[in-house]
Amino acid sequence: MAPLLEVRDLQTHYVTFGGTRVVKAVEGLSFTLREGETLGIVGESGSGKTTVCQSIVGLLPAAACIVGGSIAFEGRDLAQLSQREMRHIRGAQIAMILQDPMASLNPLFSIYRQVAEPAYYHLAVRGRSLRERVRELLNAVRIPSPTMRMREYPHQMSGGMRQRIVGAIALAGGPKLIIADEPTTNLDVTIQAQYLDLLKELQEQTGVAIVFVTHNLGIVARMCDKLAVMYAGKIVEAGSVRELFDTARHPYTQALLGSMPKLGSKEKLLAIPGQPPDLATLPPGCAFHPRCPEALPCCATEEPGETQIAGTWTARCWRAAPGAAATDLPKEAHVAAAVGN
Amino acid sequence: MARFIIRRTLYALVTLLILSLTIFMVIRLTGDPVTLLAEPGAHAEDLDRIRAEWGLDRSWPVQYLTFAKNVFTGDLGKSFNYDMPVSTLYFQRLPNSLELALAATLISFLIGIPAGLISAVKVNSVWDNTGKVIALFGLAVPGFWLGLVMILVFSVWLGWLPTSGQGSWQHLIMPAVALGWYFAASLLRLTRSSMLEVLRSEYIKLARLKGLPGYVVIAVHAFKNALIPVLTLAGVNLVVMINAAVIIEVIFAWPGIGRLLYEGIFQRDFPLVQGVVMEAGIMIVVINLTIDILYAYIDPRIRLTR
Ligand SMILES: Nc1ncnc2c1ncn2[C@@H]1O[C@H](COP(=O)(O)OP(=O)(O)OP(=O)(O)O)[C@@H](O)[C@H]1O
Ligand code: SF4
Ligand SMILES: [Mg+2]
């Protein structure tokens, strides 16, 4: 079966200062997602996670542009679609949940109207059946007494309720894919956990696939089937959550796992020493080499390609590459590399 | 809501108190009115008699208290010059000023809001730059100068419009443009910045993510939010235009409140100036209160909590 979403070699750049500064926020990124799957994307601030999400839904900032690659969604390349065509996909096929629940709802419109809109515009539901649908959606995200609550306004809701309403809005158009860009960062710990459980449950009921962007590996462990680790606009390691949590091969992934915050912690990732690189002037070779504890001589000059380690498990690191600096590699890695090829 | 209105009313009373004190003192700094009221070369006794007649011989605190007490009972005093109650004069002129101010408001809305909206939606485009130039001109070119240029072009050279006076729409059009000009520019700038801010908000991002048609995102979701500060400015602008269109009314010989105020200052007509300013102050306060209630109507955060 063809995957629901297949991103191939996606390149999204920000061109600023009249073309003099090009930030390669996403540079040759590939991943696939099947129906009902959950992919976690982690990485430090500025590694390009949000840019990936915005590229998929076709709502990039004015300075950004998809300059290469494809985003196949049910076989259609979203990167080639016009804004008009994308409008019919957004909200209907692909929904997105934003980071800030307090700011995501329009203060001047009732909850009813805001939840109803996707169904109204995409599914042409009207009148009593629309009210019924909104009521069901609010019920599904556990808003108590939805018939009464839907007449109210965002300022009358708590932060947790607002984020659940944003969840209801995401589901309203009956999407096959939900992209959640750090949806729980601004919630407090217990509400975070409740929200994650709710998302999981709704996913089981609807079979929707989720791309889950987060700083928090604890959330990945709880929510995701697959994990992609981003560094400087590239996926440096990807695979099943189990594989990566057990035996991460990329030194960056290992460092992330080593400094994993507790679930619910509001801390941003990492006590990895050093600064993330400036995406407009990347260091030569492996972008991680100035910070990498295991860097090899070749790392500073040549960029590692993508190595398949096993199945869908891939890494961009000389230490994972077959044949490279074999003497430095631990024995199991050698074997795995051989199996991978 | 009732508490909200009571609180606002109290603020308003304090504002009016400060305003009355200020205008009372400032107008007295312009000089002695009696020298202008009396015949040239009048005797000192005559001057004293006039002074006593108008109560100007009493101390300032006493004069102020009398003035304040009268305002409170709705009596703005009698004009030195016209020998008529100030409120009668004010309300005689009010319809004229209102006519001009409403026309100018209409013009400022018709130019300022759509231009501000387009500038914000097409930010940094040719449209936006055109809007910026309009705004710059509106704020930099004084209305009276524009008025004089229009008189020169449309009345003197082309002979299309009357130079001054009041009566028909032809009389109205030039003063209304000259007066509305500045306010159009300020509305444009405010609409643009307010709209830009709203367009950057998360809820507009979410509205786009829902796949709503572009016009729904802009005209419904964004514009309604952007309108809130614009409405305040428009209300205040209207009051200012009614009461303080001094120069435009003088240039176009428009018999409005602005010209009344102008005459009052020149003649050192204390009650007239004080009265007109107090009327203006009361009107600003009332309009502000109305706008606040209007807000409450469009904004559920106010409507439902206070
Ligand atoms: N509007 C913009 N103009 C220019 N550069 C931008 C813009 N937005 C983002 N960038 C750059 O693109 C890179 C990727 O940004 P992005 O927001 O995708 O990162 P992120 O991984 O989502 O970070 P965070 O975890 O902080 O949300 C950053 O280096 C940032 O400097
Ligand atoms: S390629 Fe070299 S520098 Fe980069 S992560 Fe691997 S070992 Fe470290
Ligand atoms: Mg981000």
Side-chain angles (χ1 to χ4, degrees):
Chain A
M1 195 178 62
L4 178 68
L5 177 70
E6 180 159 21
V7 177
R8 278 279 142 251
D9 276 322
L10 180 67
Q11 291 174 292
T12 305
H13 296 176
Y14 290 88
V15 180
T16 49
F17 298 106
T20 53
R21 192 179 140 91
V22 177
V23 174
K24 296 179 177 174
V26 176
E27 182 67 359
L29 184 122
S30 307
F31 67 83
T32 59
L33 192 65
R34 295 178 185 283
E35 273 167 36
E37 264 183 345
T38 305
L39 167 73
I41 300 182
V42 298
E44 279 167 301
S45 195
S47 55
K49 305 179 299 292
T50 297
T51 309
V52 174
C53 301
Q54 291 169 335
S55 303
I56 296 170
V57 296
L59 281 179
L60 285 160
C65 187
I66 297 180
V67 294
S70 62
I71 304 167
F73 178 78
E74 297 192 304
R76 281 216 283 175
D77 185 2
L78 302 184
Q80 303 299 326
L81 296 186
S82 67
Q83 271 302 325
R84 178 183 291 267
E85 291 167 311
M86 274 313 287
R87 185 170 80 63
H88 294 291
I89 295 210
R90 280 197 295 271
Q93 309 287 318
I94 304 179
M96 188 161 163
I97 297 176
L98 298 169
Q99 181 172 346
D100 189 351
M102 300 313 256
S104 292
L105 296 173
N106 192 324
L108 301 187
F109 294 98
S110 69
I111 301 301
Y112 168 74
R113 178 176 176 145
Q114 300 193 53
V115 177
E117 272 173 335
Y120 181 92
Y121 285 103
H122 296 299
L123 307 175
V125 186
R126 296 286 187 277
R128 182 173 301 175
S129 34
L130 186 59
R131 265 196 304 282
E132 189 49 32
R133 184 170 173 86
V134 172
R135 218 184 52 74
E136 274 166 19
L137 284 162
L138 292 178
N139 214 20
V141 298
R142 307 228 181 84
I143 299 292
S145 40
T147 321
M148 195 187 82
R149 286 303 212 158
M150 70 193 196
R151 282 198 295 268
E152 298 188 348
Y153 289 85
H155 73 276
Q156 292 163 299
M157 310 280 154
S158 70
M161 277 167 96
R162 287 191 216 188
Q163 192 62 320
R164 296 207 300 277
I165 288 164
V166 171
I169 292 173
L171 292 169
K176 298 207 170 79
L177 171 64
I178 293 179
I179 297 173
D181 189 1
E182 305 190 39
T184 59
T185 322
N186 289 339
L187 299 178
D188 65 48
V189 183
T190 38
I191 293 177
Q192 233 184 63
Q194 279 171 15
Y195 189 70
L196 294 175
D197 288 343
L198 178 67
L199 271 186
K200 197 93 199 142
E201 193 185 308
L202 291 172
Q203 184 179 29
E204 272 153 27
Q205 286 164 14
T206 58
V208 68
I210 300 181
V211 172
F212 204 109
V213 173
T214 178
H215 276 105
N216 191 322
L217 281 162
I219 291 180
V220 172
R222 188 181 181 122
M223 296 292 293
C224 303
D225 310 309
K226 302 202 291 191
L227 173 61
V229 179
M230 280 190 75
Y231 189 81
K234 295 195 167 103
I235 291 180
V236 294
E237 187 164 14
S240 74
V241 166
R242 229 199 48 235
E243 285 163 339
L244 264 59
F245 272 62
D246 287 351
T247 46
R249 294 293 300 279
H250 196 285
Y252 181 63
T253 316
Q254 290 164 355
L256 286 186
L257 286 163
S259 65
M260 194 165 128
K262 284 200 303 289
L263 176 63
S265 151
K266 280 196 178 170
E267 241 170 85
K268 291 252 158 172
L269 264 188
L270 303 199
I272 297 181
Q275 286 295 310
D278 175 6
L279 295 183
T281 50
L282 280 180
C286 170
F288 187 54
H289 87 259
R291 300 166 75 188
C292 181
E294 298 173 43
L296 304 166
C298 62
C299 295
T301 52
E302 271 181 86
E303 199 185 336
E306 192 173 277
T307 307
Q308 188 182 23
I309 293 167
T312 57
W313 185 1
T314 59
R316 280 179 188 273
C317 175
W318 285 123
R319 286 194 175 270
T327 47
D328 294 333
L329 288 173
K331 205 171 168 199
E332 323 80 23
H334 220 40
V335 176
V339 169
N341 280 277
Chain B
M1 198 67 195
R3 247 180 54 210
F4 166 68
I5 292 175
I6 290 169
R7 201 172 60 215
R8 283 308 158 97
T9 312
L10 282 179
Y11 285 155
L13 287 178
V14 174
T15 315
L16 289 178
L17 181 74
I18 294 170
L19 180 70
S20 66
L21 266 171
T22 318
I23 189 61
F24 177 87
M25 294 203 283
V26 167
I27 186 66
R28 273 163 181 72
L29 297 179
T30 58
D32 186 359
V34 177
T35 52
L36 295 179
L37 281 173
E39 309 275 317
H43 291 289
E45 304 91 79
D46 291 331
L47 295 184
D48 284 339
R49 193 181 40 76
I50 296 173
R51 212 168 265 133
E53 197 181 306
W54 292 102
L56 294 167
D57 53 344
R58 287 176 289 173
S59 70
W60 280 21
V62 175
Q63 286 187 41
Y64 176 75
L65 285 179
T66 320
F67 161 57
K69 198 190 87 214
N70 287 343
V71 169
F72 221 78
T73 56
D75 171 14
L76 293 174
K78 216 165 159 193
S79 155
F80 293 160
N81 225 19
Y82 287 88
D83 207 13
M84 262 165 89
V86 172
S87 27
T88 310
L89 286 167
Y90 185 88
F91 286 104
Q92 268 175 7
R93 302 291 188 96
L94 183 63
N96 300 337
S97 276
L98 202 62
E99 179 187 338
L100 180 58
L102 285 176
T105 300
L106 187 69
I107 285 168
S108 70
F109 266 57
L110 287 180
I111 299 172
I113 292 185
L117 209 66
I118 293 169
S119 285
V121 173
K122 307 243 174 258
V123 68
N124 295 332
S125 68
V126 181
W127 290 102
D128 189 19
N129 289 331
T130 316
K132 279 182 194 155
V133 171
I134 294 176
L136 199 71
F137 266 94
L139 298 178
V141 175
F144 73 85
W145 185 85
L146 183 73
L148 292 174
V149 170
M150 282 193 295
I151 291 177
L152 196 64
V153 174
F154 296 107
S155 307
V156 180
W157 292 349
L158 298 171
W160 291 351
L161 297 168
T163 50
S164 63
Q166 186 221 16
S168 64
W169 68 265
Q170 286 100 327
H171 286 96
L172 184 58
I173 191 158
M174 285 195 300
V177 170
L179 183 59
W181 175 246
Y182 174 85
F183 296 100
S186 63
L187 271 185
L188 189 161
R189 284 175 25 140
L190 187 68
T191 307
R192 178 179 181 276
S193 64
S194 163
M195 195 66 188
L196 277 178
E197 195 180 312
V198 171
L199 287 175
R200 270 197 299 269
S201 71
E202 292 289 295
Y203 56 82
I204 294 303
K205 261 186 228 161
L206 187 65
R208 292 194 202 282
L209 284 168
K210 285 175 177 177
L212 304 183
Y215 71 88
V216 174
V217 176
I218 288 167
V220 182
H221 278 259
F223 188 55
K224 198 171 174 189
N225 280 279
L227 203 57
I228 291 178
V230 173
L231 259 186
T232 324
L233 181 71
V236 172
N237 280 356
L238 180 68
V239 179
V240 172
M241 283 192 252
I242 291 173
N243 292 294
V246 179
I247 300 176
I248 301 293
E249 289 189 355
V250 171
I251 289 177
F252 289 96
W254 189 269
I257 292 162
R259 223 179 61 185
L260 189 65
L261 186 64
Y262 172 82
E263 290 162 11
I265 293 169
F266 258 70
Q267 315 273 355
R268 295 187 197 143
D269 194 338
F270 293 177
L272 183 61
V273 174
Q274 286 171 182
V276 169
V277 169
M278 286 316 290
E279 283 287 357
I282 291 168
M283 199 186 289
I284 288 183
V285 158
V286 169
I287 294 267
N288 270 337
L289 197 62
T290 315
I291 291 169
D292 282 341
I293 293 169
L294 243 168
Y295 273 2
Y297 176 72
I298 51 174
D299 192 338
R301 284 166 296 188
I302 302 174
R303 179 169 76 232
L304 299 173
T305 46
R306 295 197 209 168

